[in-house]
Amino acid sequence: MFNRTSKNEDVDINQDVSQLADTLDDLLKSYGSKSKDDLENARSRAEAMLKETRAKLHGRNRVTQVAKDAGDHVDTYVRHNPWHGVGIGAAIGVFIGALIATTTQSRD
C-alpha cells in the first residue's frame, strides 16, 4: 500500500542516474587526456553528482519508511481497538454522507 511511487519520482531517479552515468563516463574519458585540469574538473563533477544522487535516494527512503511506520501504527491501533476503528469509520461515513446530501440539495 505504501510502496507505490509516482511516475515523476521514477523519472527523476532515472534522470539522476543517467546524469551520474554520463558524468562518470566523462571522467573515464578524461583519464585518457593529458590535461590535469580536465581530469580534476571531471572528477569534481562526478563527486558532486554522486553526492546529490545519494542524498535524493536516501531522502526518498526516509519518507517511505515514515509512511510505512505510520501505516503500521494505524494497523496496530485498529487491531487492538476494533470498535474505535468502526466508530471512526462510521463517523467519516456520516460526514461524507452529509456533504453529499447538502451538495445534492443545493443543486435542486
Side-chain angles (χ1 to χ4, degrees):
M1 182 168 143
F2 291 107
N3 291 334
R4 295 180 186 165
T5 59
S6 69
K7 296 280 184 189
N8 290 339
E9 288 177 1
D10 291 339
V11 170
D12 289 342
I13 290 171
N14 288 337
Q15 287 175 349
D16 289 340
V17 171
S18 177
Q19 288 175 349
L20 179 60
D22 292 342
T23 305
L24 291 175
D25 188 40
D26 290 342
L27 176 63
L28 292 174
K29 286 179 184 176
S30 67
Y31 273 116
S33 71
K34 300 201 185 232
S35 172
K36 190 172 182 174
D37 290 335
D38 290 343
L39 181 63
E40 287 301 319
N41 271 344
R43 182 177 176 199
S44 64
R45 282 185 307 170
E47 286 177 349
M49 185 64 68
L50 183 60
K51 285 180 185 179
E52 183 179 328
T53 304
R54 280 185 180 163
K56 285 182 181 179
L57 288 174
H58 289 305
R60 185 174 142 216
N61 289 339
R62 186 175 24 154
V63 170
T64 303
Q65 187 61 42
V66 168
K68 285 180 183 178
D69 290 344
D72 289 341
H73 287 297
V74 169
D75 184 54
T76 302
Y77 179 80
V78 170
R79 287 182 189 270
H80 286 109
N81 304 307
W83 287 109
H84 289 192
V86 170
I88 291 170
I92 291 172
V94 168
F95 178 72
I96 291 173
L99 285 176
I100 292 171
T102 56
T103 304
T104 306
Q105 287 178 355
S106 65
R107 288 184 185 174
D108 292 336

